[in-house]
Amino acid sequence: MSAPEFDLLVIGGGIHGAGVAQAAAASGRKTLLLEARAPAAGTSSRSSKLIHGGLRYLESLEFGLVRESLTERQILLKIAPHLVHLVDFHIPIYKQTTRRPWQIRAGLSLYALLANFRTSPRFERLKRSAFADLDGLKTEGLQAVYRYSDGQTDDAALVRAVLHSAESLGATLRHPAEVLSATRSRRSYLVRYRADDQEHEVRTSTLVNAAGPWVEHVRRRITPTPEGRTIDLVAGTHLELSGTLKKGIYYTEAPSDQRAVFTMPWKGHILLGTTERIHTGDPAKIAPTTEEQDYLLDPYAHHFPDTPQVLSAFAGLRVLPRAKTDAFHRSRETLFFHDDPHIPRYVGIYGGKLTAYRATAQRVIAQLAAALPVRPHLADTATLSLE
Ligand SMILES: Cc1cc2nc3c(=O)[nH]c(=O)nc-3n(C[C@H](O)[C@H](O)[C@H](O)COP(=O)(O)OP(=O)(O)OC[C@H]3O[C@@H](n4cnc5c(N)ncnc54)[C@H](O)[C@@H]3O)c2cc1C
């Protein structure tokens, strides 16, 4: 059998695949990334584009996740200031809002604590005289507005920057290149993929399944089939609206079910999201529905006086472990599955956050360390600037 040409092969060119390719290349490993369509063609261009700890995850006591994401936010603000920037977030509290001012204050205090009080300025409760200056936010029944800072990015541009970094560290990237099968032998995987209308074969010491919503499709193409997890694909829609926001992001409550809905400035327009509904069938067929459009326009009409035009809409898919609870209340922790509990040569990534992609990638490399050859380290992704 021929020696593996690559130390690590990544399937998928979303943020996780890009992050793993960058981390592997930074650790000196010979790396190949295969993407079936184009970089960021999947969920990684359809997110809410926030680089954040996730204030609402404090309610589900996911402190570890929030702390890690806040640490990663801080790193990204340093290594990619042109891609990740702090924005003012506003939380309006009306008479009928479920979460009361003291709860928001407690949540924001804990959030600042988990961020080690690193972002500046800290949160504040706005004076009533400032209410009139909030992009037309309705003031009838408005009791309080809290303001704090969190991060915003261009998700697809972030993926491209991480891929560019991986390539400049020596990784090879191919797209469109669809992985058809992978077969394990004792010390490697033989991977078949289609590119340029031809089938190709390549041998790799380790394999990472970063196929996002296709993670289970890809897992079933591997022999022997590694362990996985029954998942739900949860669709999230965003609407792009006419109009602009000058003061930042508004973190509002949907009147119908009290879910969080963000109203955000985005490329000269307004981005409104998101929804959560179970999607079955082909992940490539995901599309926004008219019910989702109505659901999102309802909180907008509750909070803002104008009737904007819907310019476009897009939907992405979250990977969440199947459970009886509704999607909004399910854990957002990233799960990893392996082909061997002792010396894994395969890792499947399930779920995860755009924000924490770098930490997730570090974890994947650590999990594969015993099967990877030792090579001279090239760079530290926590300090390496993204171009
Ligand atoms: C609506 C929504 C909003 C979100 N908002 C945020 C947010 O604001 N902040 C945040 O931190 N996180 C957010 N997330 C989470 C985050 O966007 C996702 O966790 C992340 O983008 C997933 O990236 P991924 O690389 O795992 O998957 P994807 O980006 O979907 O990439 C998977 C890639 O694999 C490729 N692929 C599939 N099959 C094959 C094959 N056989 N061969 C080769 N390639 C293949 C696909 O073409 C695709 O490009 C949000 C998620 C959703 C759904």
Side-chain angles (χ1 to χ4, degrees):
M1 191 187 303
S2 55
E5 295 124 277
F6 289 95
D7 298 333
L8 186 144
L9 188 152
V10 195
I11 306 170
I15 193 66
H16 286 131
V20 171
Q22 187 209 28
S27 69
R29 271 62 178 247
K30 283 189 269 172
T31 306
L32 172 64
L33 182 146
L34 300 174
E35 161 55 49
R37 295 181 288 164
T43 307
S44 300
S45 56
R46 295 138 190 261
S47 78
S48 299
K49 302 161 200 318
L50 299 177
I51 296 297
H52 64 159
L55 186 60
R56 77 173 188 81
Y57 303 137
L58 295 179
E59 284 182 336
S60 44
L61 311 179
E62 295 185 81
F63 301 137
L65 175 75
V66 175
R67 182 194 282 277
E68 178 177 85
S69 298
L70 289 171
T71 304
E72 290 302 312
R73 177 187 73 179
Q74 200 58 25
I75 290 173
L76 283 167
L77 286 166
K78 283 211 182 93
I79 63 172
H82 60 301
L83 285 169
V84 179
H85 57 279
L86 288 177
V87 184
D88 282 343
F89 278 59
H90 303 86
I91 309 180
I93 302 159
Y94 294 84
K95 274 189 198 131
Q96 65 276 17
T97 308
T98 341
R99 293 164 188 93
R100 302 316 304 153
W102 69 266
Q103 288 170 299
I104 300 298
R105 192 176 184 84
L108 287 171
S109 303
L110 183 54
Y111 201 61
L113 182 73
L114 290 171
N116 288 334
F117 301 103
R118 271 182 300 230
T119 47
S120 170
R122 310 256 170 81
F123 75 88
E124 57 178 333
R125 183 174 173 154
L126 297 189
K127 294 202 174 81
R128 281 196 164 267
S129 57
F131 288 2
D133 199 22
L134 295 176
D135 295 301
L137 184 76
K138 287 186 183 172
T139 52
E140 201 190 320
L142 184 58
Q143 295 178 323
V145 178
Y146 280 93
R147 180 161 66 195
Y148 70 107
S149 309
D150 229 331
Q152 194 182 24
T153 191
D154 176 335
D155 47 6
L158 183 65
V159 173
R160 287 193 296 270
V162 179
L163 282 173
H164 178 71
S165 173
E167 281 186 296
S168 50
L169 290 163
T172 307
L173 162 65
R174 283 202 81 170
H175 70 85
E178 183 190 354
V179 170
L180 304 172
S181 70
T183 309
R184 191 181 156 154
S185 53
R186 213 157 71 85
R187 291 179 184 277
S188 62
Y189 275 96
L190 182 66
V191 176
R192 276 177 50 246
Y193 66 95
R194 189 185 300 120
D196 308 323
D197 288 328
Q198 282 175 33
E199 284 193 16
H200 305 261
E201 275 187 356
V202 63
R203 195 167 282 283
T204 175
S205 299
T206 62
L207 183 65
V208 177
N209 178 355
W214 292 267
V215 66
E216 280 289 283
H217 284 61
V218 166
R219 180 178 75 89
R220 286 192 285 268
R221 292 180 175 191
I222 301 172
T223 312
T225 313
E227 197 197 336
R229 173 79 201 239
T230 315
I231 55 168
D232 278 329
L233 296 180
V234 180
T237 281
H238 286 84
L239 305 179
E240 199 184 342
L241 306 179
S242 59
T244 52
L245 295 171
K246 295 207 163 49
K247 295 292 173 173
I249 294 180
Y250 296 84
Y251 191 149
T252 62
E253 208 175 80
S256 55
D257 59 4
Q258 288 73 51
R259 282 185 61 258
V261 172
F262 292 107
T263 308
M264 305 170 274
W266 176 244
K267 297 194 171 174
H269 294 293
I270 295 173
L271 194 63
L272 185 64
T274 176
T275 55
E276 272 168 345
R277 82 182 143 86
I278 303 290
H279 173 82
T280 47
D282 185 353
K285 300 247 161 72
I286 177 70
T289 64
T290 43
E291 288 78 23
E292 286 177 310
Q293 175 161 323
D294 295 345
Y295 172 89
L296 288 171
L297 290 175
D298 183 38
Y300 188 89
H302 257 79
H303 292 93
F304 296 95
D306 56 318
T307 312
Q309 226 185 309
V310 178
L311 304 174
S312 66
F314 60 86
L317 288 170
R318 255 178 230 285
V319 173
L320 293 183
R322 183 161 297 168
K324 289 213 170 71
T325 45
D326 66 275
F328 192 62
H329 292 103
R330 277 187 231 168
S331 166
R332 296 301 200 252
E333 292 288 352
T334 315
L335 301 176
F336 302 96
F337 290 92
H338 307 107
D339 56 354
D340 179 322
H342 305 293
I343 303 184
R345 289 186 178 273
Y346 162 90
V347 180
I349 305 172
Y350 288 65
K353 292 188 69 188
L354 187 75
T355 307
Y357 81 85
R358 206 199 57 82
T360 300
Q362 293 300 325
R363 230 165 252 153
V364 169
I365 302 302
Q367 289 167 14
L368 293 172
L372 285 167
V374 176
R375 305 223 186 257
H377 207 78
L378 299 184
D380 178 357
T381 60
T383 51
L384 186 66
S385 291
L386 295 177
E387 301 300 327

